[in-house]
């Protein structure tokens, strides 16, 4: 009985999750952020963060994005740092 109930419950959850409509994203959206933490004997302790932004425009190309940015800012305790910015776009320079 427990096995049958478990199978029915899992089946219901899977069907419910797959029946949901996917919301189309538009405009600039925050992709996520992570801390940047490490240690190197030559550079010292590293601390900082990285994050991503996505531009979906009017949503007509969703789930593909129009523009994507990646930014990383971190510093080492012995004085050096990493300041990285990446911009990716298929529409800035066509072809």
């Amino acid at each position: 009985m427990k096995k049958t109930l478990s199978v029915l419950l899992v089946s219901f959850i899977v069907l419910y999750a797959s029946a949901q409509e996917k919301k189309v994203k538009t405009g600039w959206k925050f992709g996520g952020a992570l801390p940047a933490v490490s240690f190197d004997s030559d550079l010292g302790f590293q601390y900082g963060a990285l994050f991503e932004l996505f531009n979906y425009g009017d949503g007509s190309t969703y789930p593909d994005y129009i523009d994507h940015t990646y930014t990383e800012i971190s510093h080492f305790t012995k004085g050096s740092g990493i300041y990285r910015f990446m911009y990716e776009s298929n529409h800035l320079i066509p072809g």
Side-chain angles (χ1 to χ4, degrees), residues 1-77:
M1 181 66 182
K2 286 185 180 182
K3 201 180 261 189
T4 304
L5 184 59
S6 297
V7 169
L8 286 174
L9 182 61
V10 169
S11 299
F12 177 73
I13 291 171
V14 169
L15 288 174
Y16 179 74
S18 66
Q20 301 239 346
E21 292 184 25
K22 300 203 187 239
K23 190 174 184 181
V24 175
K25 295 180 181 180
T26 59
W28 285 93
K29 298 293 179 194
F30 183 68
L34 290 171
V37 179
S38 71
F39 178 77
D40 185 305
S41 61
D42 294 330
L43 300 172
F45 181 71
Q46 177 190 14
Y47 56 93
L50 58 97
F51 64 93
E52 292 183 295
L53 295 171
F54 294 91
N55 178 17
Y56 294 102
D58 60 1
S60 60
T61 61
Y62 184 80
D64 294 330
Y65 49 82
I66 296 173
D67 301 312
H68 168 241
T69 65
Y70 170 86
T71 305
E72 178 181 352
I73 300 171
S74 62
H75 189 74
F76 291 93
T77 54

Side-chain angles (χ1 to χ4, degrees), residues 75-89:
H75 189 74
F76 291 93
T77 54
K78 290 190 177 178
S80 64
I82 297 174
Y83 307 98
R84 184 177 297 157
F85 178 77
M86 181 197 69
Y87 177 75
E88 177 183 3
S89 176

